[in-house]
Amino acid sequence: MLRADGERRTRSPAASPRPSLRPASRPGSEQLPSSSPLSCCRPSVRTAEGSGHAGFGAFSCPGTPRMVPPPPVSKPHVCLSTVLIMSSLILMDAYLVEQSQGSRKLGICVMVAVGDVCFLLVLRYVAIWVGAEVKTAKRGYAMILWFLYVFVLEIKVYFVYQNYKADRKSLDLMARKALTLLLSICIPALYVLLVATEHMEYVRTFKKKEDLRNRLFWVIVDVLDVLDIQANLWEPQKKGLPLWAEGIMFFYCYILLLVLPCVSLCEISMQGIGIMPHRMMLYPMLSMLTVNITTIFIRGSNMLFFRDSRVSSIFMGKNMLAIGLKVCMFVQYQRHRHHAPPGPGPAPQHSCQPQPSPGLQKSRDQPSCPEELAQDNT
């Protein structure tokens, strides 16, 4: 019995462990193991210069991107685009004021001045945003600026055209030709400024940049084609078109000037840094349907049905050539897509077993004794 009591006494301390003197840890303050995926988001050590509480800055995760400062604004680009836009609008205002007579001239002058001041206030911010993204691969604000400019400019062009239509006796040929020249210079020039090919520093190769310029040249030629159709409305004609035909022509050209350059800018923005000009097929196909094919029917109908002598035969030939070139380009693009080699496959997975070194492998292949060497020779 004494021996059994002694064994109970020796086993009793092991059965009831002593209470730990360590303080209980707070919930959430447990140390994460090094293999845990959340081990990178540990609370950072508070420095002496830190604030009283940690906040969001107390967690530093190496994988999360930091705030990137905004790109610098290109001041020459902002100034040049602002001067081009405002000078063209002021010249259109001069046409409107000159066409007014008597007491209406002062009212028109005040109205267009107020409109230009309001537009300049909006242009102040939009032009700065465009200048900030000119060296990047995005052209979102450039599309906004193009839409605002063409929207306001074409409204003024419409009133100038209506004033010329109401006063057909005044055959001021030089003023009407100057209006066409003004539009054919300012609108394509602004598009070239908004694209800013020279500022695309991410386009490294000369061949790719030249290919991109060739694509943009088609946009400029299409804009000039649309302006040529629109100019037939205010340039002097022997016989005017019907009212419904003039309205359809003007607003169709208006929509094309608004949409087509924005589609080109959107396509450039969607390509991003890795821009591939030969893959930009949205604008060529859209312009072939809306400009090259449609304008042939517009000019052909004006020539056949309305005996319009101002129809440009040169642009009709240009549209026929453009249709053939764009069809060939689309066929080559589809052929290149079908015959392109497949992309690189996934990288082979590395096995966890260590690979033997070449020296060790060579020593394993060699015979270990002279008897084996003699057997191999036989």
Side-chain angles (χ1 to χ4, degrees), residues 187-211:
I187 295 180
L190 180 63
Y191 174 77
V192 174
L193 276 178
L194 294 180
V195 175
T197 313
E198 300 300 328
H199 293 280
M200 292 181 177
E201 299 177 354
Y202 53 90
V203 182
R204 303 291 183 181
T205 60
F206 178 78
K207 181 180 179 181
K208 186 182 290 187
K209 188 169 287 189
E210 285 299 314
D211 193 6

mmCIF file of all heavy atoms in Angstrom, residues 187-211:
data_model
loop_
_atom_site.group_PDB
_atom_site.id
_atom_site.type_symbol
_atom_site.label_atom_id
_atom_site.label_comp_id
_atom_site.label_asym_id
_atom_site.label_seq_id
_atom_site.Cartn_x
_atom_site.Cartn_y
_atom_site.Cartn_z
ATOM 1 N N ILE A 187 -9.500 71.306 -88.846
ATOM 2 C CA ILE A 187 -10.018 70.028 -88.329
ATOM 3 C C ILE A 187 -8.986 68.903 -88.435
ATOM 4 O O ILE A 187 -8.716 68.216 -87.442
ATOM 5 C CB ILE A 187 -11.343 69.676 -89.047
ATOM 6 C CG1 ILE A 187 -12.410 70.709 -88.696
ATOM 7 C CG2 ILE A 187 -11.814 68.288 -88.654
ATOM 8 C CD1 ILE A 187 -13.759 70.458 -89.340
ATOM 9 N N PRO A 188 -8.339 68.674 -89.587
ATOM 10 C CA PRO A 188 -7.299 67.627 -89.600
ATOM 11 C C PRO A 188 -6.098 67.962 -88.720
ATOM 12 O O PRO A 188 -5.479 67.063 -88.129
ATOM 13 C CB PRO A 188 -6.896 67.540 -91.073
ATOM 14 C CG PRO A 188 -8.057 68.084 -91.821
ATOM 15 C CD PRO A 188 -8.595 69.157 -90.953
ATOM 16 N N ALA A 189 -5.743 69.272 -88.629
ATOM 17 C CA ALA A 189 -4.596 69.646 -87.789
ATOM 18 C C ALA A 189 -4.856 69.333 -86.328
ATOM 19 O O ALA A 189 -3.957 68.877 -85.606
ATOM 20 C CB ALA A 189 -4.269 71.127 -87.976
ATOM 21 N N LEU A 190 -6.079 69.550 -85.859
ATOM 22 C CA LEU A 190 -6.390 69.225 -84.465
ATOM 23 C C LEU A 190 -6.338 67.718 -84.236
ATOM 24 O O LEU A 190 -5.874 67.259 -83.178
ATOM 25 C CB LEU A 190 -7.770 69.764 -84.097
ATOM 26 C CG LEU A 190 -8.199 69.484 -82.653
ATOM 27 C CD1 LEU A 190 -7.276 70.172 -81.656
ATOM 28 C CD2 LEU A 190 -9.644 69.907 -82.414
ATOM 29 N N TYR A 191 -6.759 66.941 -85.214
ATOM 30 C CA TYR A 191 -6.678 65.484 -85.054
ATOM 31 C C TYR A 191 -5.226 65.017 -84.932
ATOM 32 O O TYR A 191 -4.900 64.161 -84.105
ATOM 33 C CB TYR A 191 -7.359 64.799 -86.236
ATOM 34 C CG TYR A 191 -7.198 63.307 -86.235
ATOM 35 C CD1 TYR A 191 -7.947 62.504 -85.383
ATOM 36 C CD2 TYR A 191 -6.272 62.683 -87.065
ATOM 37 C CE1 TYR A 191 -7.785 61.129 -85.363
ATOM 38 C CE2 TYR A 191 -6.108 61.311 -87.052
ATOM 39 C CZ TYR A 191 -6.864 60.547 -86.204
ATOM 40 O OH TYR A 191 -6.697 59.185 -86.191
ATOM 41 N N VAL A 192 -4.343 65.601 -85.752
ATOM 42 C CA VAL A 192 -2.924 65.241 -85.674
ATOM 43 C C VAL A 192 -2.349 65.623 -84.316
ATOM 44 O O VAL A 192 -1.550 64.887 -83.716
ATOM 45 C CB VAL A 192 -2.149 65.923 -86.817
ATOM 46 C CG1 VAL A 192 -0.649 65.696 -86.671
ATOM 47 C CG2 VAL A 192 -2.624 65.398 -88.164
ATOM 48 N N LEU A 193 -2.759 66.774 -83.778
ATOM 49 C CA LEU A 193 -2.294 67.192 -82.454
ATOM 50 C C LEU A 193 -2.791 66.254 -81.352
ATOM 51 O O LEU A 193 -2.055 65.946 -80.413
ATOM 52 C CB LEU A 193 -2.761 68.624 -82.164
ATOM 53 C CG LEU A 193 -1.912 69.765 -82.711
ATOM 54 C CD1 LEU A 193 -2.558 71.091 -82.376
ATOM 55 C CD2 LEU A 193 -0.510 69.703 -82.155
ATOM 56 N N LEU A 194 -4.028 65.815 -81.454
ATOM 57 C CA LEU A 194 -4.573 64.945 -80.411
ATOM 58 C C LEU A 194 -3.940 63.558 -80.437
ATOM 59 O O LEU A 194 -3.768 62.933 -79.385
ATOM 60 C CB LEU A 194 -6.095 64.838 -80.565
ATOM 61 C CG LEU A 194 -6.882 66.123 -80.334
ATOM 62 C CD1 LEU A 194 -8.375 65.873 -80.515
ATOM 63 C CD2 LEU A 194 -6.615 66.693 -78.952
ATOM 64 N N VAL A 195 -3.607 63.062 -81.614
ATOM 65 C CA VAL A 195 -2.935 61.757 -81.673
ATOM 66 C C VAL A 195 -1.520 61.861 -81.124
ATOM 67 O O VAL A 195 -1.083 61.011 -80.336
ATOM 68 C CB VAL A 195 -2.938 61.231 -83.113
ATOM 69 C CG1 VAL A 195 -2.138 59.943 -83.206
ATOM 70 C CG2 VAL A 195 -4.361 60.980 -83.583
ATOM 71 N N ALA A 196 -0.793 62.921 -81.515
ATOM 72 C CA ALA A 196 0.555 63.198 -80.992
ATOM 73 C C ALA A 196 1.473 61.992 -81.152
ATOM 74 O O ALA A 196 1.945 61.398 -80.183
ATOM 75 C CB ALA A 196 0.490 63.641 -79.534
ATOM 76 N N THR A 197 1.710 61.635 -82.402
ATOM 77 C CA THR A 197 2.570 60.481 -82.669
ATOM 78 C C THR A 197 3.998 60.706 -82.187
ATOM 79 O O THR A 197 4.669 59.773 -81.738
ATOM 80 C CB THR A 197 2.576 60.180 -84.177
ATOM 81 O OG1 THR A 197 1.224 60.189 -84.669
ATOM 82 C CG2 THR A 197 3.189 58.830 -84.469
ATOM 83 N N GLU A 198 4.477 61.937 -82.257
ATOM 84 C CA GLU A 198 5.851 62.220 -81.854
ATOM 85 C C GLU A 198 6.053 62.060 -80.352
ATOM 86 O O GLU A 198 7.182 61.890 -79.902
ATOM 87 C CB GLU A 198 6.228 63.643 -82.278
ATOM 88 C CG GLU A 198 6.148 63.885 -83.774
ATOM 89 C CD GLU A 198 7.079 62.971 -84.556
ATOM 90 O OE1 GLU A 198 8.144 62.618 -84.019
ATOM 91 O OE2 GLU A 198 6.734 62.613 -85.698
ATOM 92 N N HIS A 199 4.989 62.155 -79.581
ATOM 93 C CA HIS A 199 5.099 62.008 -78.123
ATOM 94 C C HIS A 199 4.924 60.568 -77.659
ATOM 95 O O HIS A 199 4.994 60.313 -76.456
ATOM 96 C CB HIS A 199 4.058 62.891 -77.424
ATOM 97 C CG HIS A 199 4.323 64.356 -77.599
ATOM 98 N ND1 HIS A 199 5.248 65.050 -76.841
ATOM 99 C CD2 HIS A 199 3.782 65.269 -78.445
ATOM 100 C CE1 HIS A 199 5.270 66.310 -77.216
ATOM 101 N NE2 HIS A 199 4.384 66.477 -78.185
ATOM 102 N N MET A 200 4.665 59.642 -78.571
ATOM 103 C CA MET A 200 4.505 58.233 -78.182
ATOM 104 C C MET A 200 5.881 57.618 -77.952
ATOM 105 O O MET A 200 6.450 56.955 -78.829
ATOM 106 C CB MET A 200 3.726 57.468 -79.257
ATOM 107 C CG MET A 200 2.277 57.883 -79.392
ATOM 108 S SD MET A 200 1.436 56.905 -80.660
ATOM 109 C CE MET A 200 -0.228 57.560 -80.530
ATOM 110 N N GLU A 201 6.430 57.839 -76.783
ATOM 111 C CA GLU A 201 7.761 57.320 -76.483
ATOM 112 C C GLU A 201 7.771 55.810 -76.317
ATOM 113 O O GLU A 201 8.827 55.187 -76.402
ATOM 114 C CB GLU A 201 8.301 57.990 -75.216
ATOM 115 C CG GLU A 201 8.442 59.503 -75.355
ATOM 116 C CD GLU A 201 8.907 60.149 -74.075
ATOM 117 O OE1 GLU A 201 9.007 59.417 -73.057
ATOM 118 O OE2 GLU A 201 9.167 61.371 -74.079
ATOM 119 N N TYR A 202 6.614 55.209 -76.062
ATOM 120 C CA TYR A 202 6.565 53.766 -75.896
ATOM 121 C C TYR A 202 6.615 53.030 -77.228
ATOM 122 O O TYR A 202 6.816 51.817 -77.255
ATOM 123 C CB TYR A 202 5.308 53.349 -75.130
ATOM 124 C CG TYR A 202 4.021 53.882 -75.722
ATOM 125 C CD1 TYR A 202 3.328 53.156 -76.677
ATOM 126 C CD2 TYR A 202 3.485 55.096 -75.315
ATOM 127 C CE1 TYR A 202 2.157 53.632 -77.226
ATOM 128 C CE2 TYR A 202 2.303 55.576 -75.853
ATOM 129 C CZ TYR A 202 1.645 54.845 -76.803
ATOM 130 O OH TYR A 202 0.479 55.320 -77.339
ATOM 131 N N VAL A 203 6.437 53.740 -78.348
ATOM 132 C CA VAL A 203 6.608 53.133 -79.670
ATOM 133 C C VAL A 203 8.081 53.278 -80.033
ATOM 134 O O VAL A 203 8.539 54.345 -80.453
ATOM 135 C CB VAL A 203 5.703 53.806 -80.718
ATOM 136 C CG1 VAL A 203 5.860 53.133 -82.072
ATOM 137 C CG2 VAL A 203 4.246 53.756 -80.276
ATOM 138 N N ARG A 204 8.844 52.222 -79.850
ATOM 139 C CA ARG A 204 10.294 52.287 -79.972
ATOM 140 C C ARG A 204 10.762 52.208 -81.415
ATOM 141 O O ARG A 204 11.592 52.989 -81.853
ATOM 142 C CB ARG A 204 10.936 51.148 -79.171
ATOM 143 C CG ARG A 204 10.558 51.147 -77.704
ATOM 144 C CD ARG A 204 11.162 52.309 -76.969
ATOM 145 N NE ARG A 204 10.857 52.280 -75.531
ATOM 146 C CZ ARG A 204 11.260 53.215 -74.681
ATOM 147 N NH1 ARG A 204 11.973 54.231 -75.122
ATOM 148 N NH2 ARG A 204 10.937 53.120 -73.401
ATOM 149 N N THR A 205 10.230 51.261 -82.176
ATOM 150 C CA THR A 205 10.751 51.003 -83.513
ATOM 151 C C THR A 205 10.237 52.036 -84.511
ATOM 152 O O THR A 205 9.105 52.517 -84.420
ATOM 153 C CB THR A 205 10.350 49.593 -83.976
ATOM 154 O OG1 THR A 205 8.917 49.496 -84.004
ATOM 155 C CG2 THR A 205 10.911 48.551 -83.020
ATOM 156 N N PHE A 206 11.097 52.369 -85.467
ATOM 157 C CA PHE A 206 10.735 53.337 -86.503
ATOM 158 C C PHE A 206 9.684 52.771 -87.447
ATOM 159 O O PHE A 206 8.795 53.489 -87.909
ATOM 160 C CB PHE A 206 11.996 53.732 -87.274
ATOM 161 C CG PHE A 206 11.742 54.695 -88.397
ATOM 162 C CD1 PHE A 206 11.543 56.044 -88.145
ATOM 163 C CD2 PHE A 206 11.708 54.253 -89.716
ATOM 164 C CE1 PHE A 206 11.307 56.929 -89.191
ATOM 165 C CE2 PHE A 206 11.475 55.129 -90.752
ATOM 166 C CZ PHE A 206 11.276 56.480 -90.492
ATOM 167 N N LYS A 207 9.773 51.473 -87.742
ATOM 168 C CA LYS A 207 8.812 50.854 -88.650
ATOM 169 C C LYS A 207 7.402 50.881 -88.085
ATOM 170 O O LYS A 207 6.437 51.168 -88.798
ATOM 171 C CB LYS A 207 9.239 49.414 -88.919
ATOM 172 C CG LYS A 207 8.331 48.666 -89.886
ATOM 173 C CD LYS A 207 8.820 47.246 -90.109
ATOM 174 C CE LYS A 207 7.880 46.496 -91.054
ATOM 175 N NZ LYS A 207 8.318 45.092 -91.276
ATOM 176 N N LYS A 208 7.266 50.609 -86.792
ATOM 177 C CA LYS A 208 5.943 50.631 -86.173
ATOM 178 C C LYS A 208 5.361 52.040 -86.160
ATOM 179 O O LYS A 208 4.170 52.244 -86.390
ATOM 180 C CB LYS A 208 6.031 50.071 -84.761
ATOM 181 C CG LYS A 208 4.691 49.912 -84.078
ATOM 182 C CD LYS A 208 4.843 49.396 -82.665
ATOM 183 C CE LYS A 208 5.301 47.957 -82.665
ATOM 184 N NZ LYS A 208 5.287 47.391 -81.294
ATOM 185 N N LYS A 209 6.212 53.042 -85.904
ATOM 186 C CA LYS A 209 5.715 54.422 -85.884
ATOM 187 C C LYS A 209 5.298 54.881 -87.275
ATOM 188 O O LYS A 209 4.295 55.601 -87.427
ATOM 189 C CB LYS A 209 6.797 55.335 -85.311
ATOM 190 C CG LYS A 209 6.336 56.758 -85.055
ATOM 191 C CD LYS A 209 7.341 57.547 -84.242
ATOM 192 C CE LYS A 209 7.333 57.077 -82.795
ATOM 193 N NZ LYS A 209 8.152 57.962 -81.926
ATOM 194 N N GLU A 210 6.038 54.471 -88.292
ATOM 195 C CA GLU A 210 5.642 54.835 -89.649
ATOM 196 C C GLU A 210 4.365 54.127 -90.067
ATOM 197 O O GLU A 210 3.520 54.703 -90.760
ATOM 198 C CB GLU A 210 6.778 54.483 -90.617
ATOM 199 C CG GLU A 210 7.958 55.440 -90.545
ATOM 200 C CD GLU A 210 7.570 56.862 -90.886
ATOM 201 O OE1 GLU A 210 6.863 57.049 -91.888
ATOM 202 O OE2 GLU A 210 7.968 57.793 -90.152
ATOM 203 N N ASP A 211 4.199 52.893 -89.650
ATOM 204 C CA ASP A 211 2.949 52.180 -89.934
ATOM 205 C C ASP A 211 1.774 52.864 -89.263
ATOM 206 O O ASP A 211 0.680 52.975 -89.840
ATOM 207 C CB ASP A 211 3.068 50.733 -89.454
ATOM 208 C CG ASP A 211 1.954 49.853 -90.002
ATOM 209 O OD1 ASP A 211 1.168 50.348 -90.836
ATOM 210 O OD2 ASP A 211 1.867 48.681 -89.610
#
